[in-house]
Amino acid sequence: MKVGIIGTGYVGLPTGVGLAELGHDVVCIDKDIAKIKTLQSGKATLYEEGLDELLQKNFSNNKIKFTTSMEEGIKGADVVLLAVGTPPHPVTKEADLQYIFAAAEELAEYLTGYTVVAVKSTVPVGTGDKVETLIKKTNPTADVDIISVPEFLREGYAVKDFFNPDRIVIGSNTERAKKVMAELYSYFADKTEILYVNRRSSETIKYASNAFLAVKIHYINEMANFCEQTGADINEVAKGMGLDKRIGNRFLNAGPGYGGSCFPKDTMAMAYIARQYGVNMSIIENVIKENANRKKQMAHRILETISDIPQARIAVLGLAFKEGTDDCRESPAMDIINELLAHGATITAYDPQAMENAKKILGEKISYAPDAYSATEKADALAILTEWPEFKSLNLNKVSICMKNKNIVDCRNMLNKEQAVALGFNYSCIGYDYHVASKYLKQVA
Ligand code: NAD
């Protein structure tokens, strides 16, 4: 099938490459000229494991093309996927749909023959109706169905998730659009659940899922706070909870709060939509507020370890919002670093993939080290903010020689506590703290 994809970001590019690998003829369109130039040279514009190789293969086989021309990408397409950004509005925090509407208007005039326009971007319930009105107004004779096909891939696992999705949701109000999508996704027919629902349900499934996951993350973070005060160990508690199939063991890692380009904006958008419809979403509203607080609390936990050290230096390991990606959008590390800077700290940071993107946000406010050990040179405290696997195998002996003062705040519970303590580190992690616990137990006794 001929597929046009509008937007070559974290969703559009892996999706395009994946569909090309499945044998479809894909044209990816982006208005960002620099991105398209890089892609036209056969190189990926973002880091995802396996993406570069798959892109090069399909690019040289002519299965995927890149263009800035809407006409080139849309003409003759059976399916057009809309994968542009839906960032939060700076004031209201609702999903800003300007890129969706602009793209819909632009694509409308180039539609030829019957086309399914599938909205992959995360959009508020009812957006499909508005896109439909806009396309039909711009091109009244277009033979088109507008459907919702939300994306569930996880950054850091985008390629893997494309080929092994938990489910594919298709929100279509027409039978013929369903048929076209069944053909597009025929590779998955006997591998995964393909759920056909109405368009508004589909739009809601995406927000409801992300908000639920954000609540789950915040729930385990609150449990971690509880464990720190009571002598329980959050790692053991999470394991015990996760063995219950009704709960599941994923998203139960206590940490510095959720971030990234989806959960923060999608929870805010969901809360906004609910307010518009007069529906009480107190859980989500509260999680949004408390998750923001959590990042501040993490910064103060780090600051506490250096409170007696004038002009303290902090080494930060991890800038991306999670492992496996170079994406720093709404990364907890960005908020924590800004809070540390506001309190006068000097910071040297290292991330295996996200340094360039972090520089775009933090600029010269911090220094950047070429590797983890250089970041810890002469540092008074080390903060681990992203769960990159390479941090798990840090040579703590070497770190202890590099550092001036031996303080570690491990916001991802990655290091071996016993080893750190044996090497003389003042080591603190999340949801498991003998010091606080013993203080509490003494009080109880
Ligand atoms: P992104 O910002 O990485 O990419 C969007 C791209 O669209 C940009 O390259 C931009 O230049 C391009 N674009 C915008 N308007 C355009 C136009 N009129 N014509 C051509 N190109 C245009 O965004 P993303 O992270 O890929 O997210 C896209 C959507 O998918 C969002 O709604 C997001 O919420 C949703 N989503 C994202 C993820 C994720 O992990 N990032 C997961 C699931 C869903």
Side-chain angles (χ1 to χ4, degrees), residues 6-12 29-32 35 70 83-86 99 102-103 106 120-122 151 153 155 206 261-262 265-266 329:
I6 305 177
T8 59
Y10 286 86
V11 167
I29 309 142
D30 206 294
K31 61 181 181 184
D32 185 326
K35 268 190 192 176
M70 195 61 91
V84 299
T86 48
Y99 304 106
E106 287 164 38
K120 246 202 175 309
S121 304
T122 304
E151 182 53 63
L153 63 76
E155 278 183 39
K206 175 64 192 177
S261 67
C262 292
K265 87 172 170 64
D266 293 348
R329 290 178 289 180

PDB file of all heavy atoms in Angstrom, residues 6-12 29-32 35 70 83-86 99 102-103 106 120-122 151 153 155 206 261-262 265-266 329, ligand 1:
ATOM      1  N   ILE A   6       2.822  12.235   7.857  1.00  0.00           N
ATOM      2  CA  ILE A   6       3.142  13.654   8.085  1.00  0.00           C
ATOM      3  C   ILE A   6       3.727  13.800   9.488  1.00  0.00           C
ATOM      4  O   ILE A   6       3.074  13.509  10.490  1.00  0.00           O
ATOM      5  CB  ILE A   6       1.887  14.544   7.923  1.00  0.00           C
ATOM      6  CG1 ILE A   6       1.264  14.295   6.541  1.00  0.00           C
ATOM      7  CG2 ILE A   6       2.246  16.015   8.107  1.00  0.00           C
ATOM      8  CD1 ILE A   6      -0.016  15.048   6.295  1.00  0.00           C
ATOM      9  N   GLY A   7       4.977  14.247   9.545  1.00  0.00           N
ATOM     10  CA  GLY A   7       5.710  14.363  10.820  1.00  0.00           C
ATOM     11  C   GLY A   7       6.699  13.218  10.940  1.00  0.00           C
ATOM     12  O   GLY A   7       6.306  12.041  10.913  1.00  0.00           O
ATOM     13  N   THR A   8       7.986  13.559  11.041  1.00  0.00           N
ATOM     14  CA  THR A   8       9.004  12.502  11.143  1.00  0.00           C
ATOM     15  C   THR A   8       9.682  12.562  12.507  1.00  0.00           C
ATOM     16  O   THR A   8      10.902  12.511  12.621  1.00  0.00           O
ATOM     17  CB  THR A   8      10.086  12.650  10.048  1.00  0.00           C
ATOM     18  OG1 THR A   8      10.682  13.946  10.210  1.00  0.00           O
ATOM     19  CG2 THR A   8       9.517  12.514   8.676  1.00  0.00           C
ATOM     20  N   GLY A   9       8.890  12.710  13.560  1.00  0.00           N
ATOM     21  CA  GLY A   9       9.449  12.764  14.913  1.00  0.00           C
ATOM     22  C   GLY A   9       9.557  11.380  15.530  1.00  0.00           C
ATOM     23  O   GLY A   9       9.716  10.375  14.820  1.00  0.00           O
ATOM     24  N   TYR A  10       9.432  11.315  16.842  1.00  0.00           N
ATOM     25  CA  TYR A  10       9.627  10.068  17.588  1.00  0.00           C
ATOM     26  C   TYR A  10       8.571   9.022  17.227  1.00  0.00           C
ATOM     27  O   TYR A  10       8.806   7.833  17.405  1.00  0.00           O
ATOM     28  CB  TYR A  10       9.629  10.347  19.098  1.00  0.00           C
ATOM     29  CG  TYR A  10      10.916  11.009  19.537  1.00  0.00           C
ATOM     30  CD1 TYR A  10      11.073  12.385  19.466  1.00  0.00           C
ATOM     31  CD2 TYR A  10      11.995  10.253  19.968  1.00  0.00           C
ATOM     32  CE1 TYR A  10      12.266  12.994  19.830  1.00  0.00           C
ATOM     33  CE2 TYR A  10      13.196  10.843  20.329  1.00  0.00           C
ATOM     34  CZ  TYR A  10      13.325  12.213  20.265  1.00  0.00           C
ATOM     35  OH  TYR A  10      14.512  12.790  20.610  1.00  0.00           O
ATOM     36  N   VAL A  11       7.405   9.471  16.727  1.00  0.00           N
ATOM     37  CA  VAL A  11       6.369   8.521  16.306  1.00  0.00           C
ATOM     38  C   VAL A  11       6.436   8.292  14.798  1.00  0.00           C
ATOM     39  O   VAL A  11       6.496   7.150  14.324  1.00  0.00           O
ATOM     40  CB  VAL A  11       4.964   9.031  16.707  1.00  0.00           C
ATOM     41  CG1 VAL A  11       3.873   8.245  16.009  1.00  0.00           C
ATOM     42  CG2 VAL A  11       4.797   8.939  18.205  1.00  0.00           C
ATOM     43  N   GLY A  12       6.458   9.369  14.031  1.00  0.00           N
ATOM     44  CA  GLY A  12       6.374   9.264  12.574  1.00  0.00           C
ATOM     45  C   GLY A  12       7.515   8.479  11.957  1.00  0.00           C
ATOM     46  O   GLY A  12       7.286   7.636  11.077  1.00  0.00           O
ATOM     47  N   ILE A  29       6.781  12.970   5.296  1.00  0.00           N
ATOM     48  CA  ILE A  29       6.806  14.413   4.992  1.00  0.00           C
ATOM     49  C   ILE A  29       7.071  15.169   6.285  1.00  0.00           C
ATOM     50  O   ILE A  29       6.456  14.881   7.323  1.00  0.00           O
ATOM     51  CB  ILE A  29       5.412  14.865   4.463  1.00  0.00           C
ATOM     52  CG1 ILE A  29       4.964  13.948   3.319  1.00  0.00           C
ATOM     53  CG2 ILE A  29       5.417  16.326   4.042  1.00  0.00           C
ATOM     54  CD1 ILE A  29       3.489  13.661   3.344  1.00  0.00           C
ATOM     55  N   ASP A  30       7.973  16.124   6.214  1.00  0.00           N
ATOM     56  CA  ASP A  30       8.167  17.010   7.362  1.00  0.00           C
ATOM     57  C   ASP A  30       8.495  18.394   6.842  1.00  0.00           C
ATOM     58  O   ASP A  30       9.123  18.541   5.796  1.00  0.00           O
ATOM     59  CB  ASP A  30       9.292  16.501   8.272  1.00  0.00           C
ATOM     60  CG  ASP A  30       9.126  16.973   9.700  1.00  0.00           C
ATOM     61  OD1 ASP A  30       9.223  18.205   9.937  1.00  0.00           O
ATOM     62  OD2 ASP A  30       8.870  16.142  10.590  1.00  0.00           O
ATOM     63  N   LYS A  31       8.038  19.393   7.590  1.00  0.00           N
ATOM     64  CA  LYS A  31       8.332  20.769   7.129  1.00  0.00           C
ATOM     65  C   LYS A  31       9.684  21.241   7.638  1.00  0.00           C
ATOM     66  O   LYS A  31      10.137  22.319   7.268  1.00  0.00           O
ATOM     67  CB  LYS A  31       7.203  21.707   7.556  1.00  0.00           C
ATOM     68  CG  LYS A  31       7.017  21.794   9.038  1.00  0.00           C
ATOM     69  CD  LYS A  31       5.872  22.718   9.363  1.00  0.00           C
ATOM     70  CE  LYS A  31       5.747  22.795  10.885  1.00  0.00           C
ATOM     71  NZ  LYS A  31       4.633  23.569  11.324  1.00  0.00           N
ATOM     72  N   ASP A  32      10.315  20.420   8.481  1.00  0.00           N
ATOM     73  CA  ASP A  32      11.641  20.754   9.003  1.00  0.00           C
ATOM     74  C   ASP A  32      12.681  20.339   7.942  1.00  0.00           C
ATOM     75  O   ASP A  32      13.000  19.154   7.783  1.00  0.00           O
ATOM     76  CB  ASP A  32      11.853  19.995  10.320  1.00  0.00           C
ATOM     77  CG  ASP A  32      13.150  20.369  10.997  1.00  0.00           C
ATOM     78  OD1 ASP A  32      14.120  20.652  10.281  1.00  0.00           O
ATOM     79  OD2 ASP A  32      13.197  20.364  12.242  1.00  0.00           O
ATOM     80  N   LYS A  35      15.784  18.319   9.051  1.00  0.00           N
ATOM     81  CA  LYS A  35      15.473  16.903   9.332  1.00  0.00           C
ATOM     82  C   LYS A  35      15.409  16.115   8.032  1.00  0.00           C
ATOM     83  O   LYS A  35      15.969  15.025   7.911  1.00  0.00           O
ATOM     84  CB  LYS A  35      14.107  16.783  10.043  1.00  0.00           C
ATOM     85  CG  LYS A  35      14.200  16.803  11.548  1.00  0.00           C
ATOM     86  CD  LYS A  35      12.843  16.434  12.152  1.00  0.00           C
ATOM     87  CE  LYS A  35      12.853  16.750  13.646  1.00  0.00           C
ATOM     88  NZ  LYS A  35      11.577  16.516  14.282  1.00  0.00           N
ATOM     89  N   MET A  70       4.269  18.322   0.542  1.00  0.00           N
ATOM     90  CA  MET A  70       3.014  17.648   0.902  1.00  0.00           C
ATOM     91  C   MET A  70       2.436  16.932  -0.322  1.00  0.00           C
ATOM     92  O   MET A  70       1.988  15.792  -0.229  1.00  0.00           O
ATOM     93  CB  MET A  70       2.041  18.700   1.445  1.00  0.00           C
ATOM     94  CG  MET A  70       0.863  18.189   2.184  1.00  0.00           C
ATOM     95  SD  MET A  70       1.245  17.240   3.678  1.00  0.00           S
ATOM     96  CE  MET A  70       1.264  18.470   4.951  1.00  0.00           C
ATOM     97  N   ALA A  83       1.153  12.434  12.175  1.00  0.00           N
ATOM     98  CA  ALA A  83       1.965  12.188  13.386  1.00  0.00           C
ATOM     99  C   ALA A  83       2.712  13.449  13.796  1.00  0.00           C
ATOM    100  O   ALA A  83       3.897  13.411  14.127  1.00  0.00           O
ATOM    101  CB  ALA A  83       2.940  11.034  13.127  1.00  0.00           C
ATOM    102  N   VAL A  84       1.987  14.560  13.757  1.00  0.00           N
ATOM    103  CA  VAL A  84       2.616  15.820  14.171  1.00  0.00           C
ATOM    104  C   VAL A  84       2.444  16.004  15.684  1.00  0.00           C
ATOM    105  O   VAL A  84       1.669  15.300  16.326  1.00  0.00           O
ATOM    106  CB  VAL A  84       2.008  17.024  13.407  1.00  0.00           C
ATOM    107  CG1 VAL A  84       2.230  16.871  11.914  1.00  0.00           C
ATOM    108  CG2 VAL A  84       0.520  17.176  13.706  1.00  0.00           C
ATOM    109  N   GLY A  85       3.153  16.955  16.235  1.00  0.00           N
ATOM    110  CA  GLY A  85       3.107  17.169  17.691  1.00  0.00           C
ATOM    111  C   GLY A  85       1.797  17.776  18.150  1.00  0.00           C
ATOM    112  O   GLY A  85       1.102  18.466  17.393  1.00  0.00           O
ATOM    113  N   THR A  86       1.449  17.468  19.405  1.00  0.00           N
ATOM    114  CA  THR A  86       0.275  18.095  20.048  1.00  0.00           C
ATOM    115  C   THR A  86       0.720  18.592  21.424  1.00  0.00           C
ATOM    116  O   THR A  86       0.301  18.060  22.452  1.00  0.00           O
ATOM    117  CB  THR A  86      -0.895  17.089  20.186  1.00  0.00           C
ATOM    118  OG1 THR A  86      -0.377  15.854  20.740  1.00  0.00           O
ATOM    119  CG2 THR A  86      -1.552  16.795  18.869  1.00  0.00           C
ATOM    120  N   TYR A  99      -0.922  22.234  14.971  1.00  0.00           N
ATOM    121  CA  TYR A  99      -0.157  21.488  13.950  1.00  0.00           C
ATOM    122  C   TYR A  99      -1.042  20.457  13.250  1.00  0.00           C
ATOM    123  O   TYR A  99      -0.898  20.189  12.065  1.00  0.00           O
ATOM    124  CB  TYR A  99       1.063  20.801  14.578  1.00  0.00           C
ATOM    125  CG  TYR A  99       1.953  21.788  15.293  1.00  0.00           C
ATOM    126  CD1 TYR A  99       1.993  21.855  16.681  1.00  0.00           C
ATOM    127  CD2 TYR A  99       2.723  22.694  14.565  1.00  0.00           C
ATOM    128  CE1 TYR A  99       2.787  22.789  17.335  1.00  0.00           C
ATOM    129  CE2 TYR A  99       3.510  23.641  15.202  1.00  0.00           C
ATOM    130  CZ  TYR A  99       3.534  23.685  16.597  1.00  0.00           C
ATOM    131  OH  TYR A  99       4.308  24.617  17.230  1.00  0.00           O
ATOM    132  N   ALA A 102      -3.310  22.508  10.858  1.00  0.00           N
ATOM    133  CA  ALA A 102      -2.538  23.041   9.721  1.00  0.00           C
ATOM    134  C   ALA A 102      -2.228  21.909   8.750  1.00  0.00           C
ATOM    135  O   ALA A 102      -2.403  22.053   7.529  1.00  0.00           O
ATOM    136  CB  ALA A 102      -1.247  23.692  10.224  1.00  0.00           C
ATOM    137  N   ALA A 103      -1.794  20.763   9.287  1.00  0.00           N
ATOM    138  CA  ALA A 103      -1.438  19.632   8.418  1.00  0.00           C
ATOM    139  C   ALA A 103      -2.679  19.120   7.681  1.00  0.00           C
ATOM    140  O   ALA A 103      -2.610  18.795   6.488  1.00  0.00           O
ATOM    141  CB  ALA A 103      -0.802  18.518   9.247  1.00  0.00           C
ATOM    142  N   GLU A 106      -3.429  21.414   4.889  1.00  0.00           N
ATOM    143  CA  GLU A 106      -2.431  21.307   3.818  1.00  0.00           C
ATOM    144  C   GLU A 106      -2.616  20.030   2.996  1.00  0.00           C
ATOM    145  O   GLU A 106      -2.484  20.029   1.780  1.00  0.00           O
ATOM    146  CB  GLU A 106      -1.014  21.316   4.409  1.00  0.00           C
ATOM    147  CG  GLU A 106      -0.558  22.677   4.927  1.00  0.00           C
ATOM    148  CD  GLU A 106       0.651  22.556   5.844  1.00  0.00           C
ATOM    149  OE1 GLU A 106       1.534  21.726   5.571  1.00  0.00           O
ATOM    150  OE2 GLU A 106       0.696  23.277   6.866  1.00  0.00           O
ATOM    151  N   LYS A 120      -2.633   9.745  14.168  1.00  0.00           N
ATOM    152  CA  LYS A 120      -1.794   8.962  15.078  1.00  0.00           C
ATOM    153  C   LYS A 120      -1.399   9.793  16.286  1.00  0.00           C
ATOM    154  O   LYS A 120      -1.065   9.272  17.347  1.00  0.00           O
ATOM    155  CB  LYS A 120      -0.529   8.506  14.339  1.00  0.00           C
ATOM    156  CG  LYS A 120      -0.527   7.022  14.190  1.00  0.00           C
ATOM    157  CD  LYS A 120       0.734   6.330  13.980  1.00  0.00           C
ATOM    158  CE  LYS A 120       0.474   4.843  13.980  1.00  0.00           C
ATOM    159  NZ  LYS A 120      -0.273   4.355  15.121  1.00  0.00           N
ATOM    160  N   SER A 121      -1.393  11.112  16.098  1.00  0.00           N
ATOM    161  CA  SER A 121      -1.046  11.995  17.214  1.00  0.00           C
ATOM    162  C   SER A 121      -2.059  11.798  18.341  1.00  0.00           C
ATOM    163  O   SER A 121      -3.194  11.360  18.092  1.00  0.00           O
ATOM    164  CB  SER A 121      -1.099  13.450  16.762  1.00  0.00           C
ATOM    165  OG  SER A 121      -0.262  13.647  15.656  1.00  0.00           O
ATOM    166  N   THR A 122      -1.635  12.118  19.547  1.00  0.00           N
ATOM    167  CA  THR A 122      -2.537  12.021  20.699  1.00  0.00           C
ATOM    168  C   THR A 122      -3.397  13.280  20.731  1.00  0.00           C
ATOM    169  O   THR A 122      -2.883  14.391  20.890  1.00  0.00           O
ATOM    170  CB  THR A 122      -1.705  11.898  21.989  1.00  0.00           C
ATOM    171  OG1 THR A 122      -0.833  10.777  21.837  1.00  0.00           O
ATOM    172  CG2 THR A 122      -2.599  11.710  23.202  1.00  0.00           C
ATOM    173  N   GLU A 151      -1.060   6.002  18.934  1.00  0.00           N
ATOM    174  CA  GLU A 151       0.227   5.310  18.993  1.00  0.00           C
ATOM    175  C   GLU A 151       0.563   4.992  20.452  1.00  0.00           C
ATOM    176  O   GLU A 151       0.411   5.829  21.320  1.00  0.00           O
ATOM    177  CB  GLU A 151       1.321   6.220  18.402  1.00  0.00           C
ATOM    178  CG  GLU A 151       2.685   5.592  18.373  1.00  0.00           C
ATOM    179  CD  GLU A 151       2.671   4.233  17.674  1.00  0.00           C
ATOM    180  OE1 GLU A 151       2.375   4.182  16.484  1.00  0.00           O
ATOM    181  OE2 GLU A 151       2.934   3.211  18.347  1.00  0.00           O
ATOM    182  N   LEU A 153       3.642   3.255  21.185  1.00  0.00           N
ATOM    183  CA  LEU A 153       5.041   2.831  21.326  1.00  0.00           C
ATOM    184  C   LEU A 153       5.739   3.609  22.444  1.00  0.00           C
ATOM    185  O   LEU A 153       5.384   4.743  22.758  1.00  0.00           O
ATOM    186  CB  LEU A 153       5.798   2.982  20.003  1.00  0.00           C
ATOM    187  CG  LEU A 153       5.997   4.342  19.344  1.00  0.00           C
ATOM    188  CD1 LEU A 153       7.064   5.184  20.015  1.00  0.00           C
ATOM    189  CD2 LEU A 153       6.362   4.136  17.892  1.00  0.00           C
ATOM    190  N   GLU A 155       9.134   5.354  23.824  1.00  0.00           N
ATOM    191  CA  GLU A 155      10.441   5.839  23.397  1.00  0.00           C
ATOM    192  C   GLU A 155      11.497   4.972  24.038  1.00  0.00           C
ATOM    193  O   GLU A 155      11.367   4.558  25.190  1.00  0.00           O
ATOM    194  CB  GLU A 155      10.626   7.302  23.797  1.00  0.00           C
ATOM    195  CG  GLU A 155       9.974   8.237  22.804  1.00  0.00           C
ATOM    196  CD  GLU A 155      10.205   9.693  23.136  1.00  0.00           C
ATOM    197  OE1 GLU A 155      11.313  10.059  23.561  1.00  0.00           O
ATOM    198  OE2 GLU A 155       9.241  10.467  22.976  1.00  0.00           O
ATOM    199  N   LYS A 206      -6.328   6.373  24.320  1.00  0.00           N
ATOM    200  CA  LYS A 206      -4.931   6.835  24.423  1.00  0.00           C
ATOM    201  C   LYS A 206      -4.715   7.671  25.697  1.00  0.00           C
ATOM    202  O   LYS A 206      -3.802   7.415  26.473  1.00  0.00           O
ATOM    203  CB  LYS A 206      -4.576   7.640  23.174  1.00  0.00           C
ATOM    204  CG  LYS A 206      -3.199   8.261  23.215  1.00  0.00           C
ATOM    205  CD  LYS A 206      -2.099   7.223  23.261  1.00  0.00           C
ATOM    206  CE  LYS A 206      -0.767   7.866  23.608  1.00  0.00           C
ATOM    207  NZ  LYS A 206       0.312   6.921  23.746  1.00  0.00           N
ATOM    208  N   SER A 261       7.808  13.323  26.803  1.00  0.00           N
ATOM    209  CA  SER A 261       6.967  14.169  25.949  1.00  0.00           C
ATOM    210  C   SER A 261       5.499  13.763  26.021  1.00  0.00           C
ATOM    211  O   SER A 261       4.662  14.418  25.427  1.00  0.00           O
ATOM    212  CB  SER A 261       7.453  14.066  24.506  1.00  0.00           C
ATOM    213  OG  SER A 261       7.214  12.753  24.031  1.00  0.00           O
ATOM    214  N   CYS A 262       5.179  12.674  26.735  1.00  0.00           N
ATOM    215  CA  CYS A 262       3.778  12.217  26.723  1.00  0.00           C
ATOM    216  C   CYS A 262       3.057  12.370  28.066  1.00  0.00           C
ATOM    217  O   CYS A 262       2.045  13.064  28.142  1.00  0.00           O
ATOM    218  CB  CYS A 262       3.707  10.768  26.265  1.00  0.00           C
ATOM    219  SG  CYS A 262       4.157  10.589  24.528  1.00  0.00           S
ATOM    220  N   LYS A 265       2.205  15.995  29.410  1.00  0.00           N
ATOM    221  CA  LYS A 265       1.248  16.753  28.588  1.00  0.00           C
ATOM    222  C   LYS A 265      -0.108  16.034  28.491  1.00  0.00           C
ATOM    223  O   LYS A 265      -1.146  16.668  28.483  1.00  0.00           O
ATOM    224  CB  LYS A 265       1.848  17.054  27.216  1.00  0.00           C
ATOM    225  CG  LYS A 265       1.660  16.004  26.162  1.00  0.00           C
ATOM    226  CD  LYS A 265       2.135  16.499  24.815  1.00  0.00           C
ATOM    227  CE  LYS A 265       2.179  15.367  23.794  1.00  0.00           C
ATOM    228  NZ  LYS A 265       0.893  14.750  23.466  1.00  0.00           N
ATOM    229  N   ASP A 266      -0.056  14.695  28.449  1.00  0.00           N
ATOM    230  CA  ASP A 266      -1.324  13.972  28.273  1.00  0.00           C
ATOM    231  C   ASP A 266      -2.183  13.995  29.539  1.00  0.00           C
ATOM    232  O   ASP A 266      -3.409  14.036  29.457  1.00  0.00           O
ATOM    233  CB  ASP A 266      -1.059  12.535  27.808  1.00  0.00           C
ATOM    234  CG  ASP A 266      -0.477  12.507  26.391  1.00  0.00           C
ATOM    235  OD1 ASP A 266      -0.506  13.562  25.713  1.00  0.00           O
ATOM    236  OD2 ASP A 266       0.013  11.449  25.965  1.00  0.00           O
ATOM    237  N   ARG A 329      12.660  16.073  26.593  1.00  0.00           N
ATOM    238  CA  ARG A 329      11.454  16.865  26.820  1.00  0.00           C
ATOM    239  C   ARG A 329      10.803  16.472  28.143  1.00  0.00           C
ATOM    240  O   ARG A 329      10.544  15.299  28.381  1.00  0.00           O
ATOM    241  CB  ARG A 329      10.461  16.651  25.660  1.00  0.00           C
ATOM    242  CG  ARG A 329      10.934  17.275  24.354  1.00  0.00           C
ATOM    243  CD  ARG A 329       9.966  17.016  23.217  1.00  0.00           C
ATOM    244  NE  ARG A 329       9.972  15.628  22.775  1.00  0.00           N
ATOM    245  CZ  ARG A 329       9.209  15.159  21.792  1.00  0.00           C
ATOM    246  NH1 ARG A 329       8.365  15.963  21.172  1.00  0.00           N
ATOM    247  NH2 ARG A 329       9.271  13.891  21.437  1.00  0.00           N
TER     248      ARG A 329
HETATM  249  P1  NAD B   1       7.788  15.302  17.421  1.00  0.00           P
HETATM  250  O1  NAD B   1       7.724  16.703  17.882  1.00  0.00           O
HETATM  251  O2  NAD B   1       8.997  14.470  17.684  1.00  0.00           O
HETATM  252  O3  NAD B   1       7.565  15.273  15.821  1.00  0.00           O
HETATM  253  C1  NAD B   1       6.559  15.980  15.176  1.00  0.00           C
HETATM  254  C2  NAD B   1       7.063  16.328  13.778  1.00  0.00           C
HETATM  255  O4  NAD B   1       5.984  16.858  13.011  1.00  0.00           O
HETATM  256  C3  NAD B   1       8.167  17.382  13.749  1.00  0.00           C
HETATM  257  O5  NAD B   1       9.294  16.880  13.053  1.00  0.00           O
HETATM  258  C4  NAD B   1       7.534  18.567  12.993  1.00  0.00           C
HETATM  259  O6  NAD B   1       8.462  19.293  12.222  1.00  0.00           O
HETATM  260  C5  NAD B   1       6.510  17.851  12.150  1.00  0.00           C
HETATM  261  N1  NAD B   1       5.405  18.702  11.672  1.00  0.00           N
HETATM  262  C6  NAD B   1       4.610  19.518  12.391  1.00  0.00           C
HETATM  263  N2  NAD B   1       3.701  20.099  11.599  1.00  0.00           N
HETATM  264  C7  NAD B   1       3.917  19.635  10.338  1.00  0.00           C
HETATM  265  C8  NAD B   1       3.305  19.858   9.070  1.00  0.00           C
HETATM  266  N3  NAD B   1       2.257  20.678   8.933  1.00  0.00           N
HETATM  267  N4  NAD B   1       3.786  19.212   8.004  1.00  0.00           N
HETATM  268  C9  NAD B   1       4.845  18.377   8.111  1.00  0.00           C
HETATM  269  N5  NAD B   1       5.473  18.129   9.282  1.00  0.00           N
HETATM  270  C10 NAD B   1       5.007  18.747  10.381  1.00  0.00           C
HETATM  271  O7  NAD B   1       6.485  14.590  17.986  1.00  0.00           O
HETATM  272  P2  NAD B   1       6.337  13.061  18.470  1.00  0.00           P
HETATM  273  O8  NAD B   1       7.016  12.844  19.755  1.00  0.00           O
HETATM  274  O9  NAD B   1       6.643  12.179  17.318  1.00  0.00           O
HETATM  275  O10 NAD B   1       4.773  13.016  18.765  1.00  0.00           O
HETATM  276  C11 NAD B   1       3.808  13.101  17.729  1.00  0.00           C
HETATM  277  C12 NAD B   1       2.452  12.784  18.314  1.00  0.00           C
HETATM  278  O11 NAD B   1       2.429  11.417  18.752  1.00  0.00           O
HETATM  279  C13 NAD B   1       2.074  13.612  19.534  1.00  0.00           C
HETATM  280  O12 NAD B   1       0.695  13.854  19.526  1.00  0.00           O
HETATM  281  C14 NAD B   1       2.429  12.717  20.688  1.00  0.00           C
HETATM  282  O13 NAD B   1       1.668  12.994  21.840  1.00  0.00           O
HETATM  283  C15 NAD B   1       2.081  11.353  20.143  1.00  0.00           C
HETATM  284  N6  NAD B   1       2.813  10.242  20.739  1.00  0.00           N
HETATM  285  C16 NAD B   1       4.135  10.380  21.020  1.00  0.00           C
HETATM  286  C17 NAD B   1       4.826   9.294  21.570  1.00  0.00           C
HETATM  287  C18 NAD B   1       6.283   9.430  21.886  1.00  0.00           C
HETATM  288  O14 NAD B   1       6.805   8.487  22.500  1.00  0.00           O
HETATM  289  N7  NAD B   1       6.957  10.506  21.525  1.00  0.00           N
HETATM  290  C19 NAD B   1       4.163   8.091  21.827  1.00  0.00           C
HETATM  291  C20 NAD B   1       2.825   7.991  21.504  1.00  0.00           C
HETATM  292  C21 NAD B   1       2.156   9.077  20.962  1.00  0.00           C
END
